[in-house]
Amino acid sequence: MEVIVGKEKHKKTNALRILDTHKIPYSISEYEWSEERAAGLHVVEALGLDEKQVFKTLVGKGDKTGFVVFCIPVAEELDMKQAARVSHNKSVELIHVKDLLGITGYLRGGCSPVGMKKSFPTYFDATMEPQEFVYVSAGLRGMQMKVNPKNLASVVNAEFVSLTMDH
């Protein structure tokens, strides 16, 4: 199935199918993805976006809850103590990149908070909540979806909490 935005067709990802099922509006932006420029800030540069509107999806493993998902601004760093606190763990460690596909169904650079193999507790950085829209991975490298953060949170049962080092 394909999405048509303007005159362009896009591959329909799991994340997009789920948003469609929930009748959540979104738009797609594509850019050239490369392993050398896999950092989230490349998305900002490639698409000419405000870095405060682009969020990366990180997957951790808590000592009590198991896998947990965090969405934070691409230019920020996850505060691991805060991540543990909000997710009701004593500690959280980010999973290794090589384990990402098996756990989530997504590759590094294309990990979306929507449409993982299983539903995990999900936390969005508090800076996401007041925004009209944000960009997160649509589930493919080189594809971002622009979506309202409250709508996005409703689909994955996410909580808005402070997650980064400077908050």
Side-chain angles (χ1 to χ4, degrees), residues 24-51:
I24 305 286
Y26 60 85
S27 63
I28 298 298
S29 296
E30 291 185 297
Y31 61 98
E32 191 136 340
W33 190 91
S34 71
E35 189 66 52
E36 300 78 48
R37 302 202 62 209
L41 284 172
H42 175 61
V43 175
V44 171
E45 294 165 13
L47 297 175
L49 301 173
D50 178 345
E51 68 183 39

Side-chain angles (χ1 to χ4, degrees), residues 2 51 86 125 152 157 167:
E2 293 182 340
E51 68 183 39
V86 301
D125 189 69
L152 190 62
N157 277 330
H167 293 123

